[in-house]
C-alpha cells in the first residue's frame, strides 16, 4: 500500500536526520503527509514502524544478493562472500535509513523477530539463499558456519563504519578475509565440504 510505503520512507529519512531517539509517530505522519490516525491504523508505535522498515531492508538485501548470485557462475565460492558483504556495504552507503537502522540492532536485538535475534534472522535468510540458489546442502554444519560468519562480519563491519563513515577500506578487506578464512575451514577448493554444488 502506497501510504505504508510513504510512512516507511519517512521513517528512514528521519532516522538518518535525527536518529531513533528523536523519532515519533507524529513526525513520521507529518513527513509522510498522512493523518496520525493512518499511522496508528497500521502501526501501534514507532518501534513497530522501524520493525517494518528493518524487514523491508532484509527483503531488499535478500533480493539484491539473490540477483547477484544468480547472475553467473563464480570461479570460486569465496566470490559469494564478497557479493554478500558488497551488497551490505552498498545499502549502508546508499539506502536511506539503513546507515542508522541496519537490520534493527540500534533499536532492539530482536527487532526483526520476537524469538530470534537479528543476526540469527539474517543468517537464516542467507542459509536459505545458499541452499536454494547456490545448491549448498542444508545441514547443522552449514547453519553453524553461516551463524559464525554473520556474527564475525557484523562485528568487523560495524567497526569499519565507526572508523570511517563510508567504511574503512582496510577493515572491510579484513572482514572479507576473516569470513573467507573461517568458511575455508569447512570448504575445500572450489567445492565446500558442506555441500556446494555450483
Amino acid at each position: 500500500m502506497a501510504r505504508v510505503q510513504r510512512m516507511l520512507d519517512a521513517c528512514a529519512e528521519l532516522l538518518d536526520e535525527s536518529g531513533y531517539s528523536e523519532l515519533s509517530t507524529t513526525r513520521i505522519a507529518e513527513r509522510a503527509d498522512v493523518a496520525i490516525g493512518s499511522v496508528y491504523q497500521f502501526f501501534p508505535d514507532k518501534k513497530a514502524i522501524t520493525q517494518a522498515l528493518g524487514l523491508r531492508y532484509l527483503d531488499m538485501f535478500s533480493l539484491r544478493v539473490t540477483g547477484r548470485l544468480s547472475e553467473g557462475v563464480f570461479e570460486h565460492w569465496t566470490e559469494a562472500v564478497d557479493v554478500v558483504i558488497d551488497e551490505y556495504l552498498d545499502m549502508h552507503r546508499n539506502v536511506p535509513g539503513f546507515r542508522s537502522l541496519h537490520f534493527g540492532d540500534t533499536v532492539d536485538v530482536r527487532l526483526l523477530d520476537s524469538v530470534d535475534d537479528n543476526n540469527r534472522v539474517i543468517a537464516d535468510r542467507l542459509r536459505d539463499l545458499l541452499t536454494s540458489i547456490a545448491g549448498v546442502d542444508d545441514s547443522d554444519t552449514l547453519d553453524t558456519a553461516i551463524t559464525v560468519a554473520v556474527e564475525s562480519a557484523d562485528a568487523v563491519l560495524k567497526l569499519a563504519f565507526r572508523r570511517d563513515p563510508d567504511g574503512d577500506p582496510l577493515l572491510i578487506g579484513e572482514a572479507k578475509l576473516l569470513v573467507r578464512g573461517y568458511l575455508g575451514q569447512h570448504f575445500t577448493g572450489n567445492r565446500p565440504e558442506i555441500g556446494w554444488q555450483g
Side-chain angles (χ1 to χ4, degrees):
M1 176 178 282
R3 271 187 306 165
V4 171
Q5 294 308 313
R6 287 209 313 275
M7 292 177 210
L8 296 180
D9 290 342
C11 180
E13 292 171 7
L14 291 167
L15 284 169
D16 275 347
E17 289 173 17
S18 51
Y20 183 74
S21 62
E22 297 299 316
L23 189 68
S24 70
T25 52
T26 301
R27 293 186 69 199
I28 291 169
E30 290 171 355
R31 179 64 61 91
D33 196 25
V34 299
I36 189 68
S38 291
V39 175
Y40 289 123
Q41 179 182 354
F42 298 99
F43 305 107
D45 52 32
K46 72 177 187 178
K47 183 176 178 180
I49 299 174
T50 54
Q51 180 184 44
L53 182 61
L55 289 169
R56 182 168 82 168
Y57 290 147
L58 182 60
D59 288 341
M60 181 186 300
F61 178 68
S62 298
L63 285 171
R64 291 169 68 137
V65 171
T66 298
R68 290 282 305 280
L69 291 177
S70 300
E71 283 176 357
V73 177
F74 296 120
E75 292 183 14
H76 196 274
W77 64 266
T78 55
E79 294 175 42
V81 171
D82 292 355
V83 164
V84 172
I85 292 177
D86 288 344
E87 288 304 321
Y88 173 87
L89 295 172
D90 188 69
M91 286 181 66
H92 194 283
R93 293 168 179 150
N94 299 307
V95 174
F98 189 79
R99 178 184 295 264
S100 303
L101 187 64
H102 301 279
F103 291 113
D105 285 357
T106 58
V107 176
D108 185 339
V109 294
R110 287 188 172 84
L111 185 70
L112 301 177
D113 185 276
S114 60
V115 176
D116 292 323
D117 65 49
N118 299 328
N119 278 350
R120 175 78 239 180
V121 173
I122 295 164
D124 286 346
R125 187 70 65 96
L126 289 173
R127 190 185 73 238
D128 291 345
L129 291 177
L130 287 174
T131 56
S132 63
I133 296 172
V136 174
D137 295 330
D138 202 0
S139 66
D140 289 342
T141 303
L142 175 65
D143 183 64
T144 301
I146 296 299
T147 298
V148 172
V150 167
E151 291 289 349
S152 303
D154 180 56
V156 178
L157 291 173
K158 281 178 179 172
L159 176 60
F161 282 106
R162 284 200 305 271
R163 290 201 177 166
D164 181 332
D166 289 320
D168 183 303
L170 176 63
L171 288 175
I172 289 168
E174 292 297 307
K176 291 180 178 180
L177 184 63
L178 175 69
V179 174
R180 286 189 206 129
Y182 168 71
L183 292 178
Q185 299 301 306
H186 296 286
F187 293 55
T188 56
N190 289 341
R191 292 179 177 274
E193 292 177 343
I194 57 177
W196 185 271
Q197 297 170 7

